[in-house]
Amino acid sequence: MGRKALPTEIKRLKGTLRKCRMNPLEPEPTDDIGEPPEYMSERAKEFWRSTLANMPKGVIKKCDSAVFESFCNALAMREKIQKEVDRLGMVSGGKVSGQLNALMKVEALLAKAGSELGLTPSSRQKVAQGYGDPTNPDGFTMDM
C-alpha cells in the first residue's frame, strides 16, 4: 500500500504543489470549523479553542470536526486519567493499573488524531508555512 494522498492545501503549504500533482476532483471544503459542540465538556472546549488558535490557519475545516473533537476530548480525558495515575500509582497488586492502561490508550488516540490533523512535531514539519505560497512576498522562501 502506498502513501496516503496529501490534500492540495497541504502540498501548497509545503511548497510541493505542482499542476501535475493536483487532483481536479478533490473536494474543497470551505466552512471553517467554528465553535465546539455544546455537549463537550468545558475542558475539552478549552482545548478546542486553544488548539485552533495555535495551529496553521486554513488547514482544518468543518468536515474535520469529528477527528478534531476526538482529539480535544482525548486531551481532556488524558488530563483526568493522568491525575488518577499520579494519585493511585502505576502498579496495583503487582500489575499495571487500569488507569495506566487507559492512559496509554488515550495517548495512542491522541498521537493518531494529532498526526492526522498535523498537530504532532513530525506531521507539523510537513507543513512549512510560506514555502511555495505565491502570495508570500518573501523572495527567499519562494526560491527554496
Side-chain angles (χ1 to χ4, degrees):
M1 188 157 89
R3 292 182 186 178
K4 286 193 271 183
L6 289 176
T8 299
E9 181 65 12
I10 298 294
K11 290 177 191 173
R12 186 188 68 75
L13 289 171
K14 286 176 62 176
T16 60
L17 181 61
R18 307 288 179 268
K19 191 168 184 102
C20 64
R21 295 180 180 170
M22 293 177 72
N23 177 359
L25 302 176
E26 178 181 353
E28 295 181 27
T30 56
D31 295 338
D32 288 332
I33 193 162
E35 289 297 309
E38 286 300 315
Y39 57 81
M40 289 177 71
S41 72
E42 288 306 313
R43 188 65 176 138
K45 288 178 186 179
E46 288 175 25
F47 283 123
W48 178 289
R49 291 182 183 103
S50 67
T51 303
L52 275 181
N54 290 295
M55 66 184 305
K57 303 292 183 232
V59 174
I60 190 167
K61 298 293 183 182
K62 190 168 192 78
C63 63
D64 305 315
S65 62
V67 175
F68 192 62
E69 183 181 328
S70 293
F71 180 80
C72 296
N73 284 329
L75 281 171
M77 257 190 289
R78 187 205 174 284
E79 191 173 77
K80 282 182 181 179
I81 296 169
Q82 182 64 58
K83 288 177 183 176
E84 286 294 303
V85 169
D86 292 345
R87 187 174 66 81
L88 300 172
M90 293 186 284
V91 178
S92 176
K95 296 181 180 180
V96 173
S97 73
Q99 288 84 1
L100 184 58
N101 280 328
L103 182 62
M104 291 187 305
K105 288 179 182 178
V106 168
E107 288 180 343
L109 170 64
L110 280 170
K112 175 70 174 155
S115 179
E116 291 292 322
L117 295 165
L119 298 174
T120 63
S122 60
S123 66
R124 189 169 43 253
Q125 294 304 315
K126 296 175 186 171
V127 183
Q129 290 184 332
Y131 297 126
D133 183 352
T135 63
N136 181 5
D138 180 2
F140 175 73
T141 56
M142 288 297 290
D143 293 339
M144 292 179 81

